[in-house]
Amino acid sequence: LEAEGLVSPLVGRDDELAQMLATFDRGRRGHAQIVSLIGDAGAGKSRLLAEFLARLEATGQLAGVTVRQAACSSMGEQPYGVIARFFREGYGVAPDDPLAVAREKITSGLRALGVAEDEVAGVAPILGYVLGLEAGDKLPEVEPETAKRQIFLLLRLVFERRLGQGPVLLVVEDLQWADAASVEGLRIMADWLIDRPLVIVCTGRPRFDIRALATGRATLTTLRLSDLTESDGASILVAFFGASAAQLPARLREVIVKRAGGNPFYLEEIVRDLIAAGVLA
């Protein structure tokens, strides 16, 4: 709707936003945190996440914080797909990078973290395997459990070094589509790095089993986004149309809000359809 000039502030999620900000503050002070936003499609998870990041940025709380973001695909994820996205973003490895360029980016990134040369030689092939590069072509010969252990130890090494330079915020959207190895890696990493400034924020739909993120040590905060109230829906309409909202027939406002059923995305779609049909101009 932004193309039509219709925007609304975040409505009905003040409590959840406050909890996310408080959790981030605890994590930044050295107590690893996992936050999960659970809600149906269109409930506003992405909007709440965007507001959370914008608030941190506006208040200067992201200064010195390393932020890494990954979004899972409904088409399915390769093993360690989420972890690979974090590393690709961190080291600037593009999908079309020649092998030599990708290798150099990886080794340069590891050296920048203070990883010793002998460690770089051992870590680079594992990281290459996670990223799907030829550099890791020897790893598949290893037993799967051994390979997984090596990859998780790599995670711990790299993030320990990164956390030594400042707090880290990891954001994963649509975790219901993530591969099991990545979910396990996130959980284990939070458990290992319990006394470090690490915050992991995930979004997912109700079918995602949140117990997969539960650790024995790190704090897991689950926020379930319930439907908005009819009053919230009416407030969004007023925000969209401003002073012109008074020109909307009361019956039309009531129908829009009721048909949306407390789902902010559905409400936007209904308004957009009414504009496309010429009912609203």
Side-chain angles (χ1 to χ4, degrees):
L1 287 179
E2 290 182 10
E4 305 287 348
L6 305 183
V7 294
S8 169
L10 187 68
V11 172
R13 305 297 188 202
D14 290 344
D15 290 345
E16 291 87 349
L17 179 58
Q19 290 184 67
M20 292 177 71
L21 293 171
T23 300
F24 175 82
D25 184 61
R26 288 194 296 272
R28 191 177 59 169
R29 287 186 278 113
H31 306 282
Q33 306 282 318
I34 303 177
V35 181
S36 62
L37 302 180
I38 303 298
D40 292 320
K45 300 182 295 295
S46 294
R47 176 62 191 277
L48 177 56
L49 178 60
E51 191 74 19
F52 165 68
L53 294 172
R55 187 71 61 88
L56 292 177
E57 182 69 38
T59 55
Q61 296 182 71
L62 287 183
V65 178
T66 297
V67 181
R68 296 282 180 263
Q69 296 182 261
C72 303
S73 170
S74 61
M75 302 298 291
E77 293 288 339
Q78 295 296 320
Y80 309 103
V82 173
I83 294 169
R85 280 182 171 81
F86 288 147
F87 282 121
R88 285 187 179 277
E89 180 184 358
Y91 296 139
V93 178
D96 56 352
D97 276 345
L99 178 59
V101 173
R103 282 176 173 170
E104 178 57 33
K105 288 180 177 179
I106 291 172
T107 54
S108 295
L110 293 172
R111 291 187 187 113
L113 288 177
V115 179
E117 286 298 324
D118 58 335
E119 288 182 299
V120 170
V123 166
I126 302 173
L127 189 49
Y129 171 66
V130 171
L131 297 180
L133 305 174
E134 287 182 42
D137 58 4
K138 297 179 181 178
L139 208 59
E141 300 174 5
V142 179
E143 288 293 326
E145 282 302 313
T146 301
K148 181 168 69 172
R149 186 163 56 250
Q150 291 178 353
I151 291 169
F152 288 171
L153 288 173
L154 161 68
L155 267 180
R156 181 173 186 170
L157 168 67
V158 172
F159 277 96
E160 274 185 332
R161 298 299 176 89
R162 176 60 67 184
L163 288 162
Q165 299 177 354
V168 173
L169 171 60
L170 303 179
V171 178
V172 186
E173 294 193 69
D174 291 318
L175 200 62
Q176 74 276 1
W177 292 322
D179 62 283
S182 289
V183 175
E184 184 181 1
L186 292 173
R187 176 180 59 79
I188 289 177
M189 186 167 59
D191 208 43
W192 277 342
L193 303 173
I194 178 62
D195 58 348
R196 304 299 176 90
L198 172 66
V199 180
I200 301 173
V201 178
C202 306
T203 70
R205 295 186 185 174
R207 66 188 178 97
F208 174 73
D209 187 354
I210 198 61
R211 291 174 296 180
L213 286 175
T215 81
R217 304 169 70 197
T219 301
L220 171 61
T221 301
T222 301
L223 303 177
R224 299 188 181 275
L225 302 189
S226 57
D227 293 338
L228 297 179
T229 65
E230 291 189 5
S231 175
D232 290 333
S235 296
I236 293 175
L237 281 180
V238 170
F240 281 160
F241 297 106
S244 300
Q247 299 178 40
L248 289 173
R251 177 58 181 157
L252 179 58
R253 289 200 302 270
E254 180 182 344
V255 168
I256 293 172
V257 170
K258 284 189 176 298
R259 287 193 177 178
N263 187 300
F265 176 73
Y266 293 167
L267 189 148
E268 291 190 17
E269 287 296 286
I270 292 169
V271 171
R272 190 171 64 84
D273 287 346
L274 290 173
I275 292 172
V279 176
L280 296 177

